[in-house]
Amino acid sequence: QCPWGAPNTTSISCSLADVMSEQLAKELQLEEENAAFPEVVAVAEGPFITGENIDTSSDLMLAQMLQMEFDREYDAQLRREEKKINGDSKVSISFENYRKVHPYDSDSSEDEVDWQDTRHDPYRADKPTTTPRRGFIGKGKDITTKHDEVVCGRKNTARMENFAPEFQVGDGIGMDLKLSNQVFNALKQHAYSEERRSARLHEKKEHSTAEKAVDPKTRLLLYKMVNAGTLETITGCISTGKESVVFHAYGGKSATEDKVIPPECAIKVFKTTLNEFKNRDKYIKDDYRFKDRFSKLNPRKIIRMWAEKEMHNLTRMQNAGIPCPEVVILKKHVLVMSFIGQDQVPAPKLKDVTLSSEDMKKAYYQVLNMMQQLYKDCNLVHADLSEYNMLWHDGKVWLIDVSQSVEPTHPHGLEFLFRDCRNVSQFFQKEGVAEALNERELFNAVSGLNITADNEVDFQEEIEALEKMNEDHVQNHGKKLSMFSSDGDPPIYDE
């Protein structure tokens, strides 16, 4: 035979049924898997941690073993403390709730079920007594009605779950609590009151102007101003206060030719939260310009009147030539004015600016003349004048925040003027202006009233007497005095 001949191959006969058999395919696949993956010796089931034959190379296993040992010592210490405290006492305490329980410590899975996952009510009695339809159970001395104190107390405790989720009713698990009807009704009324109060606060927050933010109605007013072309764009917030939020904006084009909108504007949005206005009624309710329209029953109208009052006061000051913001437009509680500053940077307040002695002296005489002009020409008292409401811009002082300004004939007008004089005098004296008058001299210089009192107490008493005289004149004649009687016009101080 030729060694290079074809070998004799014995062909194994295989039927078509064997080729298509699924059982044969599974057996072949199982043989291949057993050859590729040798069988892993199964670990006998038992406790999670036994302490014997454990692979301690795992950090997690070591941590669990240490934690388990610590918990066992902790539980033993609790049992010793419990035994020491209880002793032979008939009343005993238990630290069961403070013991450590691990999933691998319990022999049954029932211990892992929390009481909240069951239908057990911890407030319900062990043997609940049901009241039949007739309203009582038992007879004679053992009769129990639906009005029984114990039954009603347990029902009231269970009904506390119907309170709002925000109302904390405490933790009475494991205790047989019984609330009397009086206590339950008081708690229920308090819960309802707190729920209504929370709803009111939420509504007020949603529909009010907040810090550095505006409510939807105010935002719509601003959008309308931008769409109308009054404002080109609103850049952002530049100042916040107790009563308003001030935004910076670039002015647009006016619809009328006689009205010129400044290139930079300040938008003063009066806060519609009413807490800030509860103590400011005295500035507006006795002002004859708004006395007939003032009503505490509609506080939102007070806020609009507050914005309107600042607009009127600024208009008077502008006509008198006093440096102040120029009014552009007023829409409800949104007042648009000219911006005192440049390139989105507001002018600094007089308390924040550092001036030389000459500039500070110049600023003092400017403030003095402005107070005299405000009193004589505008017939106004600022009522909140201080270094916080005066800006330094272009080498001169500008007055802002005149929404609370009143006329001298206001029942408290002279008191407000004396307070302004005290603030101005103390500030400039502290800054080293030797020519600064004291508050009494400044009051006489501004008002022209020659009140000669040796001390501040007598001075204020004479001011109150003048205000009382003016109030009596109003009640008798129905009109206010145009000016208080004085010996002439107030002297004009100059440098």
Side-chain angles (χ1 to χ4, degrees):
Q1 293 181 356
C2 180
W4 291 282
N8 294 329
T9 58
T10 59
S11 60
I12 301 174
S13 61
C14 183
S15 63
L16 180 62
D18 294 337
V19 175
M20 300 299 295
S21 174
E22 293 184 1
Q23 184 177 1
L24 179 61
K26 290 181 178 179
E27 292 177 356
L28 294 175
Q29 183 179 359
L30 186 59
E31 291 178 0
E32 293 179 358
E33 290 179 354
N34 291 335
F37 306 101
E39 185 177 0
V40 180
V41 179
V43 180
E45 296 183 358
F48 185 73
I49 296 178
T50 61
E52 299 177 0
N53 300 327
I54 297 178
D55 183 13
T56 57
S57 61
S58 173
D59 294 340
L60 176 61
M61 185 66 65
L62 287 174
Q64 289 177 344
M65 293 174 63
L66 291 174
Q67 184 64 42
M68 182 177 176
E69 187 65 21
F70 174 81
D71 292 343
R72 286 175 177 170
E73 295 178 0
Y74 180 80
D75 292 343
Q77 177 67 21
L78 281 182
R79 282 191 290 269
R80 288 193 296 270
E81 290 287 339
E82 185 177 346
K83 185 177 180 180
K84 178 181 178 181
I85 294 176
N86 291 331
D88 298 331
S89 176
K90 294 181 180 180
V91 180
S92 62
I93 64 173
S94 175
F95 294 148
E96 189 66 31
N97 293 337
Y98 296 96
R99 292 199 175 107
K100 304 294 184 181
V101 179
H102 288 272
Y104 46 81
D105 286 341
S106 59
D107 299 332
S108 173
S109 60
E110 296 178 357
D111 297 336
E112 302 175 14
V113 180
D114 190 70
W115 69 267
Q116 293 182 352
D117 299 331
T118 67
R119 296 183 178 274
H120 174 65
D121 186 359
Y123 300 109
R124 191 175 300 169
D126 295 335
K127 295 181 179 179
T129 57
T130 58
T131 305
R133 296 184 60 182
R134 62 178 181 267
F136 66 92
I137 57 174
K139 294 181 180 180
K141 296 181 179 180
D142 299 331
I143 189 171
T144 302
T145 67
K146 63 180 180 180
H147 303 291
D148 183 70
E149 183 179 359
V150 176
V151 176
C152 290
R154 288 171 178 160
K155 286 183 179 180
N156 292 336
T157 305
R159 279 187 289 184
M160 283 199 305
E161 297 179 356
N162 299 328
F163 291 169
E166 297 82 7
F167 189 79
Q168 303 295 334
V169 296
D171 185 7
I173 299 174
M175 295 183 286
D176 188 14
L177 294 180
K178 293 179 283 292
L179 293 180
S180 65
N181 291 336
Q182 182 179 3
V183 174
F184 174 76
N185 291 333
L187 286 175
K188 184 176 67 172
Q189 185 64 32
H190 179 66
Y192 290 163
S193 300
E194 287 296 313
E195 188 176 0
R196 290 194 298 268
R197 177 177 173 270
S198 177
R200 287 196 303 268
L201 291 177
H202 179 73
E203 181 182 2
K204 183 183 293 186
K205 184 177 180 180
E206 289 293 327
H207 298 86
S208 64
T209 305
E211 186 95 359
K212 297 186 180 180
V214 292
D215 60 317
K217 292 183 179 180
T218 306
R219 193 178 299 114
L220 182 60
L221 288 175
L222 299 179
Y223 286 158
K224 288 183 178 180
M225 292 182 184
V226 175
N227 293 334
T230 305
L231 301 176
E232 181 179 349
T233 180
I234 300 175
T235 58
C237 177
I238 58 176
S239 176
T240 58
K242 293 182 296 184
E243 64 179 28
S244 63
V245 182
V246 182
F247 297 90
H248 175 271
Y250 287 103
K253 297 181 181 179
S254 177
T256 58
E257 297 181 356
D258 56 343
K259 186 68 175 180
V260 179
I261 298 179
E264 291 187 89
C265 297
I267 307 173
K268 189 170 185 178
V269 180
F270 288 85
K271 291 182 180 180
T272 53
T273 48
L274 308 177
N275 294 334
E276 288 81 5
F277 289 86
K278 289 182 179 179
N279 299 325
R280 307 179 77 84
D281 294 345
K282 59 183 179 181
Y283 293 99
I284 193 170
K285 68 179 180 180
D286 293 323
D287 195 323
Y288 77 95
R289 297 174 292 178
F290 304 95
K291 191 172 185 178
D292 297 335
R293 297 161 52 191
F294 179 80
S295 174
K296 282 188 176 182
L297 300 179
N298 195 342
R300 291 190 175 274
K301 284 189 176 181
I302 299 179
I303 299 170
R304 296 185 184 181
M305 292 164 58
W306 199 260
E308 182 183 346
K309 185 177 180 182
E310 176 152 9
M311 181 196 68
H312 289 311
N313 293 339
L314 286 175
T315 303
R316 285 192 187 185
M317 295 168 60
Q318 185 180 352
N319 293 336
I322 298 176
C324 65
E326 177 186 356
V327 178
V328 177
I329 190 174
L330 172 67
K331 290 291 185 181
K332 295 184 179 179
H333 61 284
V334 179
L335 179 62
V336 182
M337 306 170 289
S338 60
F339 180 69
I340 309 300
Q342 189 175 6
D343 297 333
Q344 302 185 28
V345 179
K349 298 177 182 177
L350 199 59
K351 75 176 187 69
D352 297 328
V353 69
T354 302
L355 300 178
S356 62
S357 58
E358 291 297 327
D359 289 338
M360 188 61 69
K361 179 181 177 181
K362 178 182 176 182
Y364 169 73
Y365 282 107
Q366 288 180 4
V367 172
L368 179 56
N369 291 331
M370 282 192 295
M371 293 178 67
Q372 292 176 335
Q373 284 183 281
L374 197 65
Y375 187 90
K376 180 180 178 182
D377 300 337
C378 303
N379 195 26
L380 286 176
V381 174
H382 191 284
D384 193 23
L385 188 62
S386 66
E387 62 272 19
Y388 294 88
N389 291 332
M390 293 184 286
L391 305 181
W392 181 261
H393 181 61
D394 287 341
K396 58 182 178 180
V397 180
W398 298 67
L399 294 185
I400 59 171
D401 289 343
V402 293
S403 55
Q404 71 287 329
S405 300
V406 297
E407 295 193 350
T409 52
H410 187 277
H412 303 284
L414 295 182
E415 295 179 25
F416 297 154
L417 178 60
F418 185 73
R419 186 177 62 190
D420 291 348
C421 293
R422 181 190 292 115
N423 295 337
V424 171
S425 177
Q426 290 179 355
F427 171 73
F428 283 102
Q429 287 179 356
K430 184 179 64 176
E431 293 297 326
V433 180
E435 293 81 4
L437 304 175
N438 59 40
E439 56 267 21
R440 287 173 285 174
E441 296 173 346
L442 184 60
F443 178 87
N444 288 331
V446 171
S447 63
L449 300 172
N450 295 324
I451 299 179
T452 57
D454 298 334
N455 53 65
E456 184 174 341
V457 176
D458 296 339
F459 198 90
Q460 290 184 343
E461 287 181 356
E462 292 195 28
I463 291 176
E464 293 176 1
L466 288 174
E467 291 177 340
K468 184 67 170 58
M469 179 183 64
N470 184 70
E471 192 65 25
D472 294 340
H473 181 82
V474 172
Q475 294 178 359
N476 296 331
H477 302 281
K479 62 180 180 179
K480 290 183 177 291
L481 292 172
S482 59
M483 278 288 179
F484 292 102
S485 58
S486 60
D487 295 340
D489 294 337
I492 302 298
Y493 285 79
D494 197 0
E495 299 183 62

